[in-house]
Amino acid sequence: MPTDKSEVLQGTLDLMILKTLHALGPLHGFGIARRIEQLSEDVLTLNEGTVYTSLLRLQQKNWIASEWGQSENNRRARFYNITRRGLKQLALETENWERISAVISRVLALEVKA
Amino acid sequence: MTDRILIFFAKLKAVFGQSKDDTAFSEEVNAHLDLLSEQFERQGMSPAEATQAARRQFGNLTLLTQRRKEARTTMFFSNLARDLKYGVRQLVKTPVFTIVCVLTLALGVGANTAVFSVMHAVLMKMLPVHDASKVVYVHTTGFPAGAHNTGDEATSFSYATYRELREHSGLEEVIGFIPMSSSGKAPVRVGTAPEEAAGDMVSGNYFSGLGVGVELGRGFVQKDEDDHAATTVISENFWTTHYSRNPNVIGKTLFIKSHPFTIVGVAAKRFEGTEGRLPLDFWIPLQSHPDFNAWGNPAEDGTYLTIPQFWCMRLMARIPAGVSTDQALAKAQGIFQQAAYLGIAQKRAGERIPQLSFLPAKQFDSQDDTFARSLKTLMAMVGLVLLIAICNVVMLLMSRNANRQREFSIRLALGAGRRVIARQLLTESFLLVSLGGAAAWIFALAATRALGAWARIDSNLQPDSVVLWFTLAILLLLAIVFGLAPLRAAMSSGPDMALRSSAAASQTTSQKTRAGNVIIVTQVAMCVTLLVGAGLLLGTLRNLMNIPLGQKTEGVLVFGVHPQHVKSKEESIAFFVNLQQRLRSIPGVESVSFASNRPGSGWSSNNGGLLVDGHKPNGAEPEQAYYRQNNVGSDFFRTMGVPIAQGRDFSDADSSSATQVVIVNETFAKKYLGTLNAAGHILTNTRGLHPRLIIGVVKDHKYTGITEEPRPMRWVVFTQGDLENQLDVEMRVKGDPMQMLPTVRTFMQQIDPDMPLLEPMAQSEVFQQSISQQIMFARLAGCFGVLAIILIATGLYGTLSYRVSKRSAEIGVRMALGAQRSQIVWMVLRGSLLLTAIGVAIGIPFAMAATMGLKNSLYGVKPLDLTSYLVAIVGVAVVALTASGLPARRAGSVDPSSALRAD
């Protein structure tokens, strides 16, 4: 495994999936995995199976809902979409993330005193 | 927070349809893998490579599936299901243990539930009336001199007092009610067959004032009382049994004492009237017809409405809102003390003026202290039984789970958490307690019915929701105790135990043995207490049963007869004399007589005031010469089997026109004449009127009941007494009196088809019933004693067997080293005897303290009765010896070589 890839941060996968669903509308698990892979530009490694663990978690919290439909290759697939609760949560998490990443960026930007 | 709840519900929902989710998930994942490998194929991989790459990129599918299984639903349920399955398997594997535990619990908890249920109904339950806290029973300390009463002195008021209290006392409602007869019942007829039904004659505000609703129709209104309307409200039960809940019952006619009454309503379901142990079938408004005089008394001189000195009416009241009971009582007291003397010429000097009191509107008007005390004692006894039962189950559980120590240590060694083991133990305990609890509830339902029958309470005692909560609380407590008690033993064995041999593991730590010892000693102590109590009560019962009645009650049949439409004294005498003649002609009947108060039933006429031959009775003040009286028929003493000391029995010749005669008992003769030779003397009232010639003296014998002390007593033949509209027929027959009943019934129906036999019984049974409470009390105490003994026996046996089996290796070593069989047996026996001795030593002072509380329930036995104590001690010792004998023998027959080879 190439060493320049980072593990997905615990908890960030949920946020990424929420955002993906928000941006692209209803998607199946495969689609979500592709989209994240694409966006991460091979920076993140993803065991695609963990997407499903995350999807179950989000569903239990009622942030996303699912229904069966046809996939591109005409297979039965489960399509997930974001719920109203999920949207609210996404806004909240996004704000949280930005605040924290801003803090971390500021901390990392500290210059070493001579 | 909401997230957590949502997750919980999502998981809960997922408990169902787990396999559906499994298929759906695998379909979803397979689709994903296919898409992924298709993509890889498009990028130029061979199909095989693509599939592999797809799997690699997807990650560990098995792990993922497992994670999903764990995450999608709460593990609590699947764990619980697993624990339950395992627990059931454990219980099934040891059927004897399970059965013993369940039965022990059923008896222990069931007995408690039953006694609590009766106690709750009798002592605590309120009448099902609106806002019962504002409703009271009205009691009085007595009635003024110059008045007379029927019914209980404490609950009888005159009609005049009722009116005054109702109008002027400031109480919101004053509700009056009068039983139809001394038995509370009256002859009624729905179709053609006459029967008896319990009823009260009540004031117009009875239903509205108490706030009791109706199932159908209406309750009474004031106009019903004012018009003495011929209307009736029937009970829900009567409606069910006699009209099959027909909604068209309103307007139908119910014949009561041969008078037609129109049914206007059916009372609310749970309301059974205000007569305590007698549930009522019907209510009618206060009546003015002489047939409906209070308590079914003859109305020769008028009825309860016209005689202001006739105290016969029971009262209840509703306290106005915003007024305390004490304030209301204070206000009513003054009115009452004036009203009480209405119709009485003047107050006697120094007379004790009756005092009013208010008692809470419980289901049972609390007059009968002895019953309440008996119930509390019973509750204490079943409490002890329950404690013993708990100890037993705990010991059984501990020894069984100690046998499983190896299992627990292996589980610990394999990585089970302590929490998991605790949960397992608790689950098993809940399972056991649930089984026991279910059995206990069934047992309690039957036991409550039996208790009610023995206590002669007809009203509903069945466990209600309060009782259910009580039982559930006990069960929950038990489940926790039973789950946690063996926990320490299970935990104390670390995982290393799994590696040790069982012989090494068998060494019981002294700490563990000590815990068991404490339980055994406690059990023995409680058992001694229970046995002493049971012994004293059984002694009391024996004494009561052996009290000579002074008469031969066997072979006597008794039943009441209430001729309808008898108006005058002449008609009554003619009817009963004729009846006597005709009954004598039945084959197998030896003699027939009458009594106005049924001997043994507790009823009596109590009178006072007499002169002997015109003088003071043997130096006593004439007014203070109290005596009991009964009006009877000819041949009375021959029929009842009472020996005549002097003179003769009443005969048919003692008619109303013949010389007025009287028969007295020995106590009367000794007390008021100073001699047993009383025949020939003449008794008059204090003014020298109504002379009666004493024609005989009879031996003292019991009149009102078995426990009464001899009192001055006299008998007058009914033809020479007041009008009697109801008499009990006493009939001496050959053989079993109850066998004669059908013949008599047909015979009586020929005389008058509208006349039921009132409470037909064997005369001996009437006397038995006078001590039915004591009999019940003693029998139950005996049962509990036996139960305790059985529990102790099983407990000791179980524990000792277990200990011996654990020590078999040690015993083997001892024997190999030369110990004799007898020495081993003695070693085991000595241990249990020592424990028993300590238990007895602790139990005796405990029993002494406890039996002091029993003092009032004993008859002819002292609380410190030596025999009872000795029997209890010997009983426990014998049981302990027997229970330890078998394990001891087994210990003696341990084969040293096999015991040592066991591991």
Side-chain angles (χ1 to χ4, degrees):
Chain A
M1 194 176 282
T3 48
D4 55 345
K5 282 192 178 185
S6 322
E7 293 284 321
V8 178
L9 263 173
Q10 189 83 31
T12 48
L13 186 56
D14 288 6
L15 179 57
M16 289 195 287
I17 291 177
L18 269 185
K19 183 64 205 175
T20 310
L21 288 177
H22 175 228
L24 301 181
L27 266 183
H28 45 57
F30 177 76
I32 296 170
R34 288 292 70 69
R35 181 67 186 163
I36 292 174
E37 191 184 44
Q38 203 183 333
L39 285 177
S40 77
E41 288 161 354
D42 284 344
V43 175
L44 296 173
T45 61
L46 182 64
N47 260 342
E48 297 189 22
T50 53
V51 168
Y52 288 94
T53 315
S54 184
L55 283 171
L56 176 67
R57 207 159 42 223
L58 292 170
Q59 224 174 349
Q60 282 176 343
K61 290 179 192 160
N62 206 7
W63 290 347
I64 59 172
S66 72
E67 59 187 358
W68 288 91
Q70 292 291 106
S71 74
E72 316 62 272
N73 63 348
N74 277 335
R75 296 190 60 129
R76 235 162 75 80
R78 214 202 293 250
F79 282 82
Y80 297 88
N81 60 51
I82 189 160
T83 65
R84 195 170 303 173
R85 267 179 68 82
L87 284 175
K88 245 189 256 171
Q89 190 62 28
L90 178 61
L92 208 76
E93 300 259 322
T94 312
E95 195 193 307
N96 254 345
W97 177 263
E98 278 166 357
R99 218 177 32 234
I100 289 176
S101 61
V103 169
I104 291 182
S105 314
R106 275 204 301 280
V107 170
L108 295 181
L110 283 178
E111 302 230 345
V112 183
K113 277 186 185 161
Chain B
M1 196 60 212
T2 41
D3 284 348
R4 281 188 155 199
I5 296 170
L6 278 170
I7 291 172
F8 177 74
F9 278 112
K11 286 184 171 184
L12 203 60
K13 218 171 91 191
V15 171
F16 310 98
Q18 298 210 40
S19 61
K20 217 176 96 196
D21 183 73
D22 280 344
T23 5
F25 181 62
S26 82
E27 194 184 340
E28 194 177 2
V29 168
N30 284 333
H32 187 122
L33 284 172
D34 286 350
L35 286 169
L36 200 56
S37 57
E38 278 166 28
Q39 183 188 336
F40 285 142
E41 273 181 58
R42 277 200 301 276
Q43 288 169 3
M45 288 190 195
S46 72
E49 274 175 345
T51 314
Q52 256 199 340
R55 291 198 172 199
R56 203 162 44 234
Q57 181 152 340
F58 192 81
N60 188 339
L61 182 56
T62 321
L63 188 68
L64 191 70
T65 313
Q66 177 61 27
R67 289 247 166 86
R68 186 180 177 87
K69 276 179 198 276
E70 283 171 16
R72 80 175 157 208
T73 181
T74 142
M75 288 310 275
F76 177 76
F77 291 100
S78 52
N79 283 343
L80 184 70
R82 201 189 52 207
D83 283 347
L84 275 178
K85 209 159 78 185
Y86 190 73
V88 169
R89 215 185 295 151
Q90 283 291 332
L91 293 184
V92 171
K93 218 165 68 185
T94 47
V96 180
F97 164 82
T98 310
I99 290 169
V100 168
C101 282
V102 167
L103 282 184
T104 309
L105 283 177
L107 289 174
V109 178
N112 271 276
T113 304
V115 174
F116 179 77
S117 176
V118 174
M119 194 167 97
H120 171 72
V122 172
L123 301 183
M124 292 174 245
K125 218 190 235 170
M126 302 301 276
L127 278 174
V129 297
H130 173 71
D131 194 8
S133 62
K134 294 303 251 180
V135 178
V136 290
Y137 288 102
V138 183
H139 280 215
T140 166
T141 52
F143 52 88
H148 54 98
N149 103 297
T150 305
D152 292 307
E153 207 176 295
T155 56
S156 293
F157 295 85
S158 65
Y159 180 73
T161 329
Y162 154 69
R163 296 297 308 196
E164 286 296 306
L165 281 175
R166 189 162 170 187
E167 256 128 61
H168 304 296
S169 66
L171 292 165
E172 190 174 322
E173 303 277 358
V174 175
I175 300 135
F177 52 104
I178 310 173
M180 297 299 290
S181 66
S182 55
S183 71
K185 297 180 177 176
V188 301
R189 188 158 56 78
V190 173
T192 48
E195 61 183 312
E196 276 195 288
D200 269 0
M201 205 155 62
V202 303
S203 56
N205 61 350
Y206 186 79
F207 290 100
S208 57
L210 289 176
V212 172
V214 286
E215 299 285 319
L216 272 187
R218 63 171 176 95
F220 294 133
V221 291
Q222 189 54 39
K223 197 167 167 3
D224 288 311
E225 180 186 343
D226 297 339
D227 298 350
H228 307 295
T231 52
T232 178
V233 172
I234 57 173
S235 73
E236 193 261 353
N237 184 41
F238 194 77
W239 180 43
T240 308
T241 54
H242 288 73
Y243 296 96
S244 334
R245 303 181 74 83
N246 181 353
N248 297 324
V249 72
I250 306 296
K252 285 201 161 70
T253 302
L254 173 67
F255 286 90
I256 301 170
K257 290 190 160 186
S258 300
H259 291 251
F261 281 80
T262 309
I263 298 174
V264 296
V266 176
K269 191 172 186 318
R270 285 186 314 123
F271 186 67
E272 298 183 311
T274 43
E275 295 289 346
R277 57 186 63 205
L278 184 70
L280 298 186
D281 300 311
F282 68 85
W283 296 266
I284 55 175
L286 293 173
Q287 298 290 307
S288 58
H289 192 282
D291 281 359
F292 290 92
N293 195 12
W295 294 83
N297 276 13
E300 211 176 3
D301 308 318
T303 66
Y304 69 101
L305 292 170
T306 57
I307 309 171
Q309 303 94 325
F310 184 20
W311 287 53
C312 56
M313 200 167 181
R314 297 183 168 169
L315 298 183
M316 293 186 78
R318 182 177 283 279
I319 313 281
V323 178
S324 77
T325 309
D326 288 339
Q327 286 167 338
L329 180 62
K331 181 145 188 236
Q333 192 77 261
I335 305 286
F336 168 69
Q337 290 182 344
Q338 271 182 356
Y341 288 89
L342 285 173
I344 289 168
Q346 85 188 91
K347 254 180 233 182
R348 299 240 175 103
E351 183 187 330
R352 262 183 49 207
I353 296 174
Q355 294 278 333
L356 215 56
S357 55
F358 288 164
L359 279 91
K362 300 202 172 137
Q363 187 87 47
F364 286 70
D365 192 0
S366 54
Q367 309 166 45
D368 196 352
D369 282 353
T370 53
F371 192 51
R373 206 166 41 229
S374 305
L375 278 176
K376 283 175 190 158
T377 314
L378 278 182
M379 196 71 226
M381 287 180 116
V382 289
L384 278 184
V385 170
L386 181 62
L387 269 180
I388 294 180
I390 294 176
C391 289
N392 248 16
V393 176
V394 166
M395 285 202 298
L396 285 171
L397 273 172
M398 285 200 340
S399 43
R400 188 191 68 149
N401 285 339
N403 267 335
R404 288 167 67 191
Q405 237 170 33
R406 197 151 247 250
E407 171 204 327
F408 289 130
S409 39
I410 290 176
R411 293 178 69 168
L412 283 172
L414 290 179
R418 281 165 196 252
R419 194 191 257 245
V420 175
I421 288 182
R423 202 183 53 212
Q424 173 68 41
L425 284 172
L426 272 176
T427 313
E428 282 173 28
S429 149
F430 267 93
L431 208 55
L432 199 61
V433 169
S434 309
L435 282 176
W441 191 253
I442 295 167
F443 172 71
L445 288 181
T448 314
R449 203 162 298 138
L451 270 176
W454 283 347
R456 308 188 50 65
I457 294 173
D458 295 324
S459 48
N460 188 14
L461 298 177
Q462 285 305 310
D464 61 3
S465 56
V466 179
V467 181
L468 183 63
W469 283 117
F470 167 83
T471 309
L472 287 180
I474 291 188
L475 290 175
L476 181 68
L477 192 76
L478 291 187
I480 293 171
V481 168
F482 294 161
L484 295 185
L487 192 60
R488 213 181 59 169
M491 294 298 179
S492 65
S493 48
D496 53 323
M497 268 280 288
L499 304 174
R500 282 200 237 151
S501 75
S502 74
S506 80
Q507 285 154 2
T508 47
T509 64
S510 60
Q511 194 188 16
K512 248 180 267 170
T513 327
R514 214 180 302 132
N517 286 349
V518 168
I519 295 180
I520 292 179
V521 166
T522 323
Q523 264 193 324
V524 170
M526 286 187 286
C527 186
V528 167
T529 314
L530 266 179
L531 282 184
V532 169
L536 291 176
L537 289 169
L538 287 172
T540 300
L541 182 61
R542 195 185 54 229
N543 290 346
L544 286 174
M545 299 294 242
N546 289 336
I547 293 175
L549 295 179
Q551 56 201 310
K552 203 169 155 284
T553 52
E554 295 77 23
V556 177
L557 176 68
V558 59
F559 57 88
V561 173
H562 185 105
Q564 307 298 316
H565 311 303
V566 162
K567 296 281 175 292
S568 68
K569 194 169 157 184
E570 289 69 34
E571 278 174 20
S572 155
I573 292 173
F575 172 85
F576 282 110
V577 167
N578 176 35
L579 179 65
Q580 190 177 24
Q581 301 291 356
R582 294 175 69 167
L583 286 173
R584 277 174 182 162
S585 68
I586 300 177
V589 171
E590 292 180 353
S591 67
V592 178
S593 189
F594 300 112
S596 72
N597 288 314
R598 180 181 292 199
S601 68
W603 289 95
S604 159
S605 307
N606 302 326
N607 304 29
L610 61 84
L611 294 175
V612 177
D613 302 328
H615 303 290
K616 280 185 176 181
N618 197 18
E621 279 305 314
E623 281 88 5
Q624 306 287 320
Y626 293 107
Y627 56 86
R628 286 179 156 171
Q629 177 166 322
N630 201 0
N631 291 3
V632 300
S634 56
D635 289 339
F636 181 72
F637 297 103
R638 182 157 76 91
T639 310
M640 300 303 289
V642 176
I644 296 173
Q646 193 202 14
R648 66 169 176 91
D649 200 344
F650 294 121
S651 76
D652 293 347
D654 295 315
S655 65
S656 54
S657 55
T659 317
Q660 303 280 300
V661 293
V662 62
I663 291 175
V664 300
N665 69 356
E666 288 180 324
T667 305
F668 188 106
K670 266 184 279 185
K671 187 159 181 195
Y672 297 136
L673 288 100
T675 170
L676 288 177
N677 294 320
H681 293 278
I682 290 178
L683 301 180
T684 61
N685 69 11
T686 50
R687 281 175 282 167
L689 300 175
H690 300 303
R692 288 184 188 276
L693 174 68
I694 300 179
I695 55 165
V697 178
V698 292
K699 292 272 185 197
D700 283 341
H701 59 278
K702 301 292 181 185
Y703 171 41
T704 55
I706 287 183
T707 51
E708 80 170 3
E709 298 295 320
R711 286 168 74 156
M713 174 85 210
R714 67 176 221 177
W715 290 265
V716 169
V717 68
F718 81 97
T719 52
Q720 299 179 352
D722 297 329
L723 165 66
E724 300 287 356
N725 63 358
Q726 176 176 335
L727 286 176
D728 276 316
V729 176
E730 300 277 357
M731 192 182 241
R732 181 166 288 283
V733 301
K734 291 195 181 76
D736 182 2
M738 293 315 273
Q739 298 280 325
M740 187 58 101
L741 192 56
T743 320
V744 176
R745 228 187 260 279
T746 3
F747 189 84
M748 292 295 290
Q749 247 171 11
Q750 286 161 10
I751 295 178
D752 183 351
D754 240 1
M755 192 171 60
L757 301 191
L758 310 177
E759 298 181 84
M761 297 172 81
Q763 181 62 52
S764 51
E765 186 60 25
V766 185
F767 274 103
Q768 284 283 306
Q769 283 188 0
S770 75
I771 54 164
S772 60
Q773 259 175 40
Q774 285 101 322
I775 293 178
M776 168 191 83
F777 195 22
R779 274 190 195 148
L780 285 179
C783 287
F784 296 148
V786 170
L787 195 59
I789 276 278
I790 294 175
L791 289 178
I792 295 272
T794 50
L796 262 180
Y797 173 78
T799 313
L800 287 176
S801 302
Y802 159 69
R803 284 192 184 171
V804 166
S805 73
K806 284 302 253 187
R807 284 172 72 182
S808 63
E810 174 207 331
I811 292 169
V813 172
R814 282 175 188 267
M815 286 181 112
L817 291 178
Q820 290 301 300
R821 207 180 118 93
S822 60
Q823 282 173 308
I824 298 292
V825 171
W826 175 237
M827 179 182 79
V828 174
L829 275 187
R830 191 184 52 200
S832 81
L833 283 183
L834 193 68
L835 288 179
T836 313
I838 298 173
V840 167
I842 295 173
I844 284 177
F846 198 57
M848 278 157 70
T851 50
M852 281 309 185
L854 268 182
K855 210 166 171 183
N856 287 318
S857 311
L858 301 180
Y859 183 90
V861 200
K862 288 198 190 63
L864 296 180
D865 179 55
L866 191 62
T867 335
S868 298
Y869 279 82
L870 283 179
V871 168
I873 293 168
V874 171
V876 170
V878 167
V879 166
L881 258 184
T882 322
S884 37
L886 276 174
R889 246 187 53 172
R890 204 174 308 143
S893 50
V894 164
D895 177 9
S897 52
S898 63
L900 291 175
R901 251 204 315 269
D903 281 301

